[in-house]
Amino acid sequence: MDLVRVALGLAVLGLGFLIAQRGRLPVFEQNVFQIVNDLPAEVFPVVWVVMQLGNVLAVPVVAAVAALTGRLRMARDMLVSGVLAYLAADEVKQVVQRERPGGFALDANFPEGPVGGLGFISGHSAVAAALATAVVPYLSRRARRTAWALAWTVALARIYVGAHLPLDIVGGLAVGWAIGSLVHWAFGVPRLEVPPDRVARWLEHYGLPVRDVRPAAVQARSSIPFEAVDEQGRRLYVKWLEPDRRERDWLYRLWRLLAVRDVKDADAVAPLGQQAEHEAVAAMIARERGVHVPRVLLARGKDRGAIVVQEYLTARGLDDLPAEELTRELLTAVWRQVALLRAARVAHHDLVASSVLVDGDGRPWVVDFGNALTGASDDALSGDVAELLASLALRTDPGLVVDCAIDTLGPDAVAEALPGLTPMSLTSATRAAVRTDHARLDALRGALRGRLGLPDPDRPEFGPPGLAARLAVAAGSALVLVGVPLLAGATEFFDVVEDGGWRWLGAALALAVLARAANAAAALFTVERRIALGRTYAASLVAESASLLHGSEGWRRSAARFLERAGVLPADARRSTDRFVVSGVVAAILVASGMLVMAVVEDRLGDWQAPEALVPAVALGLAAWALVLTGQWLARRHDTAPGGRRRLPSLLATITRVPAEVPWRWGAQFGWSTVGVVLEGAVLAAAMHAAGGSVPLLATASVYAALHLLWSVLPVTGAPGCAEVTLLLALTALGAPLASACAAALVFRVLVSWIPAVLGWLLTARLEHRFGV
């Protein structure tokens, strides 16, 4: 996650860079500056003292203090981060050349006197943020909040004394955060070390006196294990819960949510004491329902740590057993424990081989309920089955694992686990093992599908299109991408974008990303399986790439195959794509009619005129369109993959196939599809601004919604050549100059179609390998 923080910090810096280079002071930034700068003069002495923490001279001082207290690694990180932040801030200032508040028309107060020089970014803010980022891994949670409070105080103090504008301090904080994170990535961060005598004192304090406390000879990912002996001579297993476990990181949780819609740590952000109690409750519930779980003796904690004490179990983990000891009898006994967990509605959420121990009598025991959920959903319970299937298949015959699971749990329960058999859905430990032996996971999926009688999702999706088809599509694509700029003249084409401003292009790119995310969200509601937004987003890019060579049928088959790999049956996958297309048509009708009504009421349609360069534009479009359609026809002739062409289902027929018990899914799906159409219209509007066009916004949105409806109902009209030229003619008919219309049409299509198609082509093999089932 350190590299993610670096990327986010640089992204914030990049946005600030674009705003700062405009040379104008936004009204919002001006208002924020005045609020902070007008604070009473009485606070200046305190503010001045705190502000010195951002001075570069404070870096060796605080590093020396850390070194004198024996924290050498902390001192190193603070020294390196602080110095690098100061140097980076100085370099950014030289590049941006933004003035300080004194260079703008502001009514500024200067308690220290006017400050000269360059403003963006604030060096004090960068240094303070770098020091805070560098020091937080060594502090308690309360001390971390203090460190960041001091960093923000330094930043706001620079506004208070009139030295910097708000954007300057935001950029400085972002740079300092990025540099401190980069230092952590390069040097690493320490893991908490807990002395055994501290554990003994805690246990005695909580009423469980022990002796012989020593580290346990086991590996634990999110706790520090100890073993001890109590007054009755019983051996105890003591888990010291780490306050800094990876699952508590908000970036990690966000990534898991986008990647697989599952964070596997519903209780990880709670206070440590509550986490310990939660683990104990889940373990006791499972034990009461017949699951072999060691008895819980104590669960308590506070901010800096928590402990869970259970009876010590002399046993070996399934991950430590040789393959020959993983017999059918043992695996069946393991799956019986899983069946009991499912009956109790307890989802372990980390059910890997190491979470199942086998004692001397061959009985399996389930341990480590730190991420468990009680009253769990069907998806969470299926995730346990998938996790254990994958973990066991990496150690023994996948066919044997599948047979034992189906014989014990039943085919339906195992079939529901199929979507979870993807690397990104598994825990980090299982993913690491899969990377070294991916064939095992493939064999597991094959064995499972064979036993359940499901078709192979890796069957040929398309037949070989042939060289002629590829060349025809490539020629048509190149013709439209080169020909549209030449219609207006290459010089005029690029000049209008330069005059219109590149910032609108950035806005158009951001809107295009959001529009595809909205469409991906709409696709999630076409199936009852839980599929992650990130995976669906990537699959939409792959489908866009397939449509280039295989047309609308290629898009359908690529999208349906993705759903099959996610565990959806083929017939349901085809119905899902039909529902998605129909929802897009309905959304386009709603948006087109709504925009048209508003445009007429506001009189924003303007006076239509004959499109400029009508004949050459139509000739170009027809030529490119003919080449692309010829290539798609040739590819279809050579298509030997199973499944023929399918026509667009009628709206009525598709609606009648929707299960009556889930009408809310249609509402959510239509809602997201509508948002996607609106955002794509906003992309076109932003492209028009970038190209200096003067077409009214409502007119642009109305025309785009109508064209989107045409492309949805007759997908062939959305093919390269036809789509670009149709859009170009519509914009010139609305009064846009030819050069602006050419630039806007091409920019729009590049952002919503061409770039996604290229990214999809690059992602095709990756998506099937990493996300496929």
Side-chain angles (χ1 to χ4, degrees), residues 233-251:
R234 291 179 303 179
R235 294 182 67 186
L236 306 178
Y237 179 75
V238 182
K239 291 178 60 175
W240 183 285
L241 303 185
E242 288 190 272
D244 301 322
R245 52 189 293 187
R246 184 188 187 194
E247 293 87 351
R248 297 174 69 88
D249 188 284
W250 66 274
L251 283 176

Side-chain angles (χ1 to χ4, degrees), residues 40 65 366 377 418:
V65 171
V366 184
S377 65
L418 190 55

Side-chain angles (χ1 to χ4, degrees), residues 659-673:
E661 63 271 15
V662 287
W664 66 271
R665 286 185 176 273
W666 271 103
Q669 183 185 338
F670 287 145
W672 281 113
S673 295

Side-chain angles (χ1 to χ4, degrees), residues 371-441:
N371 287 331
L373 295 176
T374 56
S377 65
D378 291 339
D379 280 337
L381 296 175
S382 298
D384 276 358
V385 177
E387 190 72 51
L388 191 56
L389 281 170
S391 188
L392 291 175
L394 292 167
R395 291 162 176 82
T396 189
D397 177 25
L400 175 61
V401 175
V402 169
D403 289 342
C404 293
I406 292 178
D407 292 342
T408 306
L409 302 179
D412 292 340
V414 179
E416 291 172 358
L418 190 55
L421 289 177
T422 62
M424 279 306 299
S425 297
L426 304 172
T427 61
S428 58
T430 307
R431 288 201 306 273
V434 167
R435 281 194 291 268
T436 61
D437 190 3
H438 198 279
R440 285 276 186 169
L441 188 59

